[in-house]
Amino acid sequence: MKFVQSKKSAAEELLITVDDFSGGSNSLIDEARMPSKFAEESVNLIQVQDALWKTRWGTAVYGAAHATTIDGASEYVKSDATTEMITITNGVAYKSTDGGALTAISGATFTAGTQCYFMQIAGFLYIANGTDALARYDGSVLTTYTALAAPADLTASRVASGLSSGTYTYYAEVTALNSVGETVGSTEASITVNKDRDTWVAATDKGISWSWSSVTNATQYQLYISDEAGKENLLTSIATGTTNFTDDGSLDINTYIEPPSQNTTAAPKFISMAISGNRIWATNDTNSKYTVYFSGTGQFIGNFSDFYGGGWINLEKGGRELPVSVKHYQSGTGDGRATVLCRTPDGKGAVWQIQISTATVGATSFSIPSAVKVVGSFGTESVLGVVQTTNDIAFPNRKGWFTLGPEKNYYGILRTAEKSSNIRPYWRNLEGSKISTICAYFYDAKIFISVPQSTAGNDKIIVFDTERGNWSVDWSIGAKQFLEYTDTNNKTHLLYIPLSGTKLIELSENILNDLGVAFNQSYISPLLPVSKNKTDIMNFRQAIVELGRPRGVVKFQVLGIGKSNSFTTIATKTITNFGADTGVGSDLAGDFFATSTNDNNKHVSGVWTIYFTKTPTTFSQAITKSAIKKTAKIYAIQFKVYSTAADTDYTLLSLQAKGNLLPRRLPSAWVS
């Protein structure tokens, strides 16, 4: 805010100007204490140019209607580099192109009403919802992995003329594998022998023969043994078609690999997926809450078994931190890491990073994951709320909106930092039971965040501007998922799935209104004192608003605290006259005709009138000024610019009030 005063006099002229709006929205500071660069209210507005308030983006329906509400959507890039929109509703997956007709995709169905999550790699679009088997789309059909049954009827016998019964007991389990994972171990079997395994001589002691029943569709079996019940480790792999193996003591036991804790032959039922180090990383499995999975690489992407380069790791099993979302990010030194954001009961959460090393035991190579927690970090409880910006990861929790990134001036250190301090009261008033449903998207250097103000879910959108470092709060629309789709004309559409309704919605700065209906928009400045001297009063005479390229109907209002110490509306003006709104554009003219044979041209008294075929271009005026003239005596002033009319769009350039500053004695009412 700018105070401009002439030299001291009994009634010096006073200008109060607001033309710096760079603070964005602020709910942390009371309006009477707030600097003028902040907005006390900025409903349905967005910041543009050098931090000016403008009418927010509008919405329009995109694509065909579905049978019921949409449970998830994603763009799929086909092998020929063209794109399809994949949507899921009522348990059925559909594909469409450029918002055209919906075509059902066969091969798999999903539980209706369950949010679906997507990730594409190696030509497949993976679809997970934490309830149904992991599915993948190849551009034609959906496929899911059929779970194998764990092997049964495991038995043991001493090879004839070899070992005999004795005091040494050996235990075993066997598992079955398919192309994606491994079953849990069979029922444990045991047998006693007369010698310790480490002393066996293969040629004479012969060993122990383990056998089991065949498992349909298994591609391999794994045999685990131990000299202690429940402590088996991998001994060997057995090819499909063979359901027995004789252990003669010649093979080393791989003490790093135990039988899986759950059956992954249909892939784990996780929710969050990401690509890091050319592997699929996944977590948020309701059946294994502490587990983070990883697949193999190369030809084994999508295979989570240890024997295809995959595996899993539990983060603080039995602790307070539960993995929610996994993303690819960097360590403090810039190396790529699988980064896992966790939740805790108090809403703070934590961040872990995982890296993999490779070891070989005997003929078997396997991956060894190790995890390190980022010290002092915050996490999230919202899968769809985590976004990657140009430099950081950003995410919500019940405490606020945070980012994860390198610590400035410190090498090798990551930190989480709150970015929502200016809107902390607003954030703390969100519906706590729905924080996990928050969704966000990084687009045009802004983070669009849909948040819940009620138990109905995400009914508002707020925007964090990463370039200006400020907030626009809030918009009167809500989403349960954001996404982008690039059509065959290479036009990218920012879309979202509404809380209810059967169609995708496009969000664009080129659209006025919401689905054809007007929305209210409102800027309210802080309550600005007229002088640093608390007893001075302003004899208000006029106020001016400058609007950039306005159209529609805009209202300008001046409010203030009057002489009687009460808050009042000084004056309101409706602005509709924005000057000319059509004219010939600056591009080259079209064809024109100057012959008597053209009926469009007229020849009168030897003068040709030439008619251009140029179509007038609609435009709005770069600057429109409007003023209020009113006399009032006030201690503080507040501006409001708003609209409730359809097809309204404007940029707020500046505000100014003019009057005289009058010294005044201390009013007796203040001391009585």
Side-chain angles (χ1 to χ4, degrees):
M1 178 181 66
K2 301 175 184 176
F3 290 100
V4 180
Q5 301 175 15
S6 63
K7 63 181 181 179
K8 193 72 176 177
S9 65
E12 61 183 295
E13 186 174 85
L14 175 65
L15 291 178
I16 298 177
T17 302
V18 179
D19 55 9
D20 176 8
F21 305 97
S22 61
S25 301
N26 192 313
S27 60
L28 183 65
I29 306 173
D30 187 80
E31 60 182 335
R33 296 276 302 167
M34 192 181 295
S36 62
K37 68 178 182 178
F38 294 110
E40 196 276 329
E41 179 177 283
S42 55
V43 174
N44 286 322
L45 299 174
I46 191 170
Q47 291 234 306
V48 298
Q49 299 181 51
D50 54 332
L52 301 176
W53 289 110
K54 187 183 188 304
T55 304
R56 69 146 165 96
W57 300 359
T59 61
V61 167
Y62 186 84
H66 297 71
T68 59
T69 55
I70 303 170
D71 293 328
S74 175
E75 179 184 77
Y76 172 68
V77 181
K78 299 192 294 184
S79 59
D80 62 0
T82 61
T83 59
E84 290 179 338
M85 173 65 72
I86 308 300
T87 51
I88 298 176
T89 179
N90 200 31
V92 179
Y94 294 88
K95 62 182 177 180
S96 61
T97 302
D98 294 351
L102 301 172
T103 302
I105 305 172
S106 62
T109 58
F110 306 88
T111 301
T114 304
Q115 178 69 46
C116 293
Y117 305 85
F118 305 82
M119 185 201 65
Q120 183 174 345
I121 189 173
F124 292 105
L125 180 67
Y126 287 84
I127 307 174
N129 63 11
T131 300
D132 304 302
L134 179 67
R136 63 186 192 182
Y137 174 61
D138 63 0
S140 178
V141 297
L142 286 163
T143 56
T144 57
Y145 298 99
T146 302
L148 302 181
D153 306 322
L154 177 63
T155 60
S157 62
R158 291 174 291 275
V159 178
S161 73
L163 300 171
S164 61
S165 178
T167 59
Y168 296 93
T169 304
Y170 288 94
Y171 303 85
E173 293 182 19
V174 65
T175 64
L177 282 74
N178 63 8
S179 61
V180 68
E182 183 178 7
T183 68
V184 295
S186 64
T187 300
E188 187 179 64
S190 65
I191 192 171
T192 64
V193 294
N194 62 329
K195 292 183 179 180
D196 184 285
R197 183 177 183 275
D198 290 340
T199 66
W200 293 356
V201 177
T204 57
D205 293 319
K206 307 295 184 181
I208 299 171
S209 177
W210 302 94
S211 62
W212 56 91
S213 297
S214 175
V215 175
T216 302
N217 295 324
T219 60
Q220 189 174 314
Y221 300 99
Q222 310 288 354
L223 181 63
Y224 299 81
I225 68 169
S226 176
D227 59 2
E228 185 178 352
K231 302 294 184 179
E232 287 84 0
N233 293 110
L234 178 66
L235 177 65
T236 189
S237 301
I238 301 98
T240 183
T242 302
T243 57
N244 60 80
F245 180 80
T246 298
D247 174 23
D248 62 6
S250 61
L251 297 179
D252 293 326
I253 297 173
N254 188 335
T255 57
Y256 291 96
I257 302 180
E258 303 172 348
S261 60
Q262 62 174 307
N263 190 333
T264 59
T265 57
K269 293 183 178 179
F270 43 68
I271 290 175
S272 176
M273 299 175 285
I275 301 299
S276 182
N278 200 34
R279 300 176 186 268
I280 296 176
W281 291 81
T283 192
N284 207 333
D285 183 345
T286 56
N287 298 317
S288 188
K289 294 183 179 180
Y290 295 91
T291 306
V292 179
Y293 304 95
F294 57 91
S295 77
T297 62
Q299 63 178 318
F300 298 123
I301 288 178
N303 301 331
F304 294 90
S305 169
D306 295 328
F307 304 97
Y308 298 118
W312 51 271
I313 184 173
N314 284 324
L315 302 183
E316 272 193 0
K317 188 171 184 179
R320 300 178 71 251
E321 298 169 5
L322 300 177
V324 170
S325 178
V326 59
K327 295 288 183 183
H328 175 69
Y329 192 53
Q330 65 181 30
S331 66
T333 57
D335 299 324
R337 291 283 188 275
T339 302
V340 184
L341 293 92
C342 303
R343 63 181 172 91
T344 54
D346 60 5
K348 177 184 175 182
V351 177
W352 290 73
Q353 292 197 312
I354 306 173
Q355 61 183 120
I356 291 176
S357 57
T358 302
T360 301
V361 176
T364 304
S365 295
F366 54 96
S367 302
I368 304 174
S370 59
V372 176
K373 183 161 69 173
V374 177
V375 177
S377 56
F378 282 63
T380 190
E381 52 196 283
S382 170
V383 178
L384 292 176
V386 184
V387 297
Q388 290 179 273
T389 68
T390 52
N391 298 308
D392 298 337
I393 289 179
F395 51 89
N397 62 34
R398 274 175 277 167
K399 307 293 185 182
W401 183 261
F402 290 82
T403 59
L404 171 69
E407 180 68 25
K408 290 183 178 180
N409 302 320
Y410 290 90
Y411 179 74
I413 297 177
L414 291 180
R415 56 87 184 102
T416 51
E418 185 188 359
K419 297 297 183 180
S420 54
S421 56
N422 281 347
I423 61 164
R424 193 175 293 152
Y426 175 92
W427 193 276
R428 297 289 171 85
N429 283 326
L430 298 178
E431 176 56 45
S433 66
K434 294 292 184 178
I435 295 297
S436 63
T437 69
I438 290 176
C439 64
Y441 202 81
F442 181 63
Y443 184 87
D444 194 31
K446 301 173 181 63
I447 305 175
F448 296 83
I449 311 162
S450 192
V451 297
Q453 284 195 335
S454 69
T455 55
N458 299 338
D459 50 3
K460 303 289 184 182
I461 290 177
I462 60 178
V463 180
F464 180 68
D465 193 319
T466 63
E467 293 177 326
R468 300 172 182 87
N470 61 24
W471 290 90
S472 299
V473 177
D474 54 17
W475 296 5
S476 56
I477 50 178
K480 62 180 183 180
Q481 182 197 338
F482 293 101
L483 66 149
E484 284 182 72
Y485 174 69
T486 301
D487 62 26
T488 54
N489 294 318
N490 290 321
K491 179 183 178 182
T492 298
H493 304 263
L494 176 61
L495 308 174
Y496 69 86
I497 301 175
L499 294 184
S500 61
T502 61
K503 299 178 181 180
L504 293 171
I505 306 298
E506 181 169 7
L507 187 62
S508 172
E509 58 187 323
N510 298 317
I511 301 173
L512 297 178
N513 308 318
D514 281 332
L515 308 182
V517 178
F519 56 80
N520 297 341
Q521 50 186 301
S522 174
Y523 162 84
I524 299 179
S525 75
L527 184 61
L528 306 172
V530 301
S531 173
K532 293 182 179 180
N533 188 332
K534 305 304 179 184
T535 60
D536 285 353
I537 197 166
M538 180 186 190
N539 184 20
F540 171 83
R541 296 197 310 273
Q542 65 186 43
I544 299 172
V545 59
E546 281 188 324
L547 301 175
R549 305 196 182 281
R551 50 180 164 172
V553 179
V554 181
K555 293 188 177 183
F556 177 38
Q557 192 172 77
V558 179
L559 310 99
I561 295 179
K563 195 174 180 181
S564 62
N565 216 27
S566 60
F567 189 77
T568 184
T569 300
I570 298 172
T572 302
K573 181 176 182 179
T574 300
I575 311 169
T576 56
N577 183 14
F578 300 129
D581 61 0
T582 59
V584 177
S586 59
D587 52 329
L588 295 175
D591 295 334
F592 64 92
F593 306 93
T595 69
S596 59
T597 59
N598 191 298
D599 291 339
N600 289 328
N601 300 291
K602 304 298 180 184
H603 181 260
V604 180
S605 300
V607 177
W608 285 98
T609 302
I610 302 174
Y611 291 84
F612 291 83
T613 61
K614 177 69 183 176
T615 303
T617 301
T618 300
F619 70 94
S620 49
Q621 198 161 287
I623 299 178
T624 293
K625 299 182 181 182
S626 188
I628 288 175
K629 293 191 70 174
K630 182 83 173 182
T631 300
K633 289 182 170 59
I634 52 176
Y635 288 107
I637 190 169
Q638 191 168 42
F639 302 100
K640 181 176 182 179
V641 181
Y642 65 105
S643 177
T644 59
D647 302 317
T648 295
D649 182 43
Y650 61 87
T651 301
L652 179 56
L653 303 179
S654 70
L655 298 155
Q656 188 175 84
K658 186 176 182 180
N660 296 98
L661 188 64
L662 305 176
R664 192 182 184 213
R665 295 179 180 176
L666 183 69
S668 59
W670 293 8
V671 295
S672 60

